[in-house]
């Protein structure tokens, strides 16, 4: 019997602030996995240069660069990878393009200089602050807070799991599919309210890195029957 299943095209992913360490690492990994990726930046030329660098490393990848607003307009999934201090300004700029789309927020509410100390915003977490701004018509999923950019930018397999919080189960599932596409394991970690814990955990990991002189401590979920460990 011929296979008559119709394959859905992969979603287009825009990475706002994708010129930075975390966003660029994700862009490379998803481009390598065959996704069409748009690197977003405040400066379109900087985004195009970042995309060109990846294109030279991963021949044939579908990657381009544009300003943050055009990137968000032309994508199905938007990933926000800017510092906490710039989260709301960046979201306000693209807010009009987000209705009905999935937003993956990787923001950690780090407030220098005490980045090893948990300092959560009045809304509870950065992701809850984004939801308060954008309302319920944007599906927000919070993920990747506990993965070091250094690992994402390397070429090795990443020894770290990803905790995924969000109010929509199907939105979390979409994000877990993106995580699995880059060879990692994503776990349903409950509603967006639980991003308080996943975001806070980053400062704990930073403290562990400093004290034990580690380069990008991560987390592993144990007790999983599917575990490869
Ligand atoms: N680095 C990590 O290991 C790591 C791990 C987990 C989570 N995170 C979180 O991921 C997010 C990005 O981290 P990162 O280390 O990739 O940050 P980053 O390299 O310092 O910055 C990312 C991008 O944000 C944009 N940006 C900088 N200043 C801005 C401003 N004033 N207004 C708007 N955009 C601005 C820049 O893009 P353009 O100049 O091109 O606009 C920059 O390339 C943060 O919220 C961080 O807490 C990071």
């Amino acid at each position: 019997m011929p296979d008559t299943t119709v394959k859905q095209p992969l979603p287009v992913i825009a990475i706002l602030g994708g010129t930075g360490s975390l966003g660029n690492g994700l862009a490379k990994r998803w481009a390598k996995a065959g996704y069409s990726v748009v690197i977003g930046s405040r400066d379109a030329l900087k985004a195009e240069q970042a995309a060109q660098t990846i294109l030279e490393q991963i021949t044939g990848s579908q990657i381009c660069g544009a300003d943050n607003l055009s990137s968000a307009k032309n994508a199905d999934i938007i990933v926000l990878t800017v510092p906490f201090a710039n989260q709301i300004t960046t979201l306000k700029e693209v807010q009009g393009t987000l209705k009905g789309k999935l937003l993956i927020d990787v923001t950690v509410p780090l407030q220098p200089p005490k980045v090893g100390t948990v300092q959560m915003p009045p809304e509870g977490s950065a992701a809850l602050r984004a939801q308060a701004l954008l309302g319920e018509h944007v599906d927000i999923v919070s993920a990747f807070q506990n993965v070091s950019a250094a690992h994402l930018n390397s070429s090795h397999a990443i020894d770290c799991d990803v905790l995924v919080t969000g109010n929509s189960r199907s939105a979390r599932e979409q994000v877990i599919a993106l995580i699995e596409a880059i060879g990692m394991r994503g776990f349903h970690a409950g509603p967006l309210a639980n991003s308080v814990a996943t975001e806070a955990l980053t400062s704990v990991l930073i403290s562990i890195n400093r004290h034990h002189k580690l380069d990008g401590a991560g987390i592993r979920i144990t007790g999983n029957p599917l575990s490869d460990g």
Side-chain angles (χ1 to χ4, degrees):
M1 283 274 283
D3 182 5
T4 53
T5 45
V6 179
K7 282 201 176 151
Q8 295 292 330
L10 292 176
V12 176
I13 306 170
I15 306 183
L16 311 184
T19 53
S21 358
L22 194 93
N24 209 254
L26 286 172
K28 268 183 240 169
R29 298 257 171 184
W30 280 322
K32 200 168 178 189
Y35 285 84
S36 175
V37 176
V38 189
I39 290 192
S41 167
R42 289 166 295 173
D43 175 349
L45 185 60
K46 185 176 169 189
E48 283 161 21
Q49 284 166 346
Q52 183 58 34
T53 303
I54 294 180
L55 197 53
E56 282 160 18
Q57 292 164 356
I58 308 166
T59 319
S61 55
Q62 295 179 67
I63 188 154
C64 63
D67 61 83
N68 282 329
L69 184 58
S70 316
S71 307
K73 252 187 214 158
N74 295 314
D76 307 301
I77 296 177
I78 291 92
V79 189
L80 182 66
T81 66
V82 300
F84 175 62
N86 317 115
Q87 180 204 26
I88 292 299
T89 328
T90 309
L91 283 177
K92 280 185 175 164
E93 192 196 342
V94 302
Q95 187 168 6
T97 69
L98 297 180
K99 194 169 179 185
K101 293 188 183 176
L102 168 60
L103 173 73
I104 305 175
D105 192 352
V106 311
T107 312
V108 178
L110 296 181
Q111 298 181 53
K114 292 200 164 185
V115 294
T117 301
V118 176
Q119 300 180 77
M120 304 307 286
E123 296 83 351
S125 72
L128 290 171
R129 184 167 83 155
Q131 186 83 79
L133 172 75
L134 300 173
E136 296 302 321
H137 60 265
V138 180
D139 270 334
I140 302 185
V141 169
S142 171
F144 294 108
Q145 282 75 20
N146 312 133
V147 184
S148 154
H151 293 314
L152 287 167
N153 282 293
S154 73
S155 53
H156 59 63
I158 302 173
D159 183 19
C160 178
D161 291 326
V162 183
L163 301 179
V164 179
T165 66
N167 296 338
S168 154
R169 184 193 172 98
S170 68
R172 291 197 309 267
E173 274 164 2
Q174 281 187 73
V175 177
I176 289 174
L178 290 177
I179 293 165
E180 289 174 349
I182 58 173
M184 300 179 76
R185 301 189 310 174
F187 287 83
H188 289 271
L192 203 64
N194 289 359
S195 60
V196 173
T198 53
E199 291 179 16
L201 191 52
T202 306
S203 288
V204 176
L205 293 171
I206 291 171
S207 294
I208 291 171
N209 283 338
R210 285 176 172 171
H211 189 88
H212 296 277
K213 304 202 179 344
L214 301 180
D215 182 18
I219 57 146
R220 274 291 191 207
I221 301 302
T222 62
N224 177 10
L226 301 177
S227 170
D228 54 6

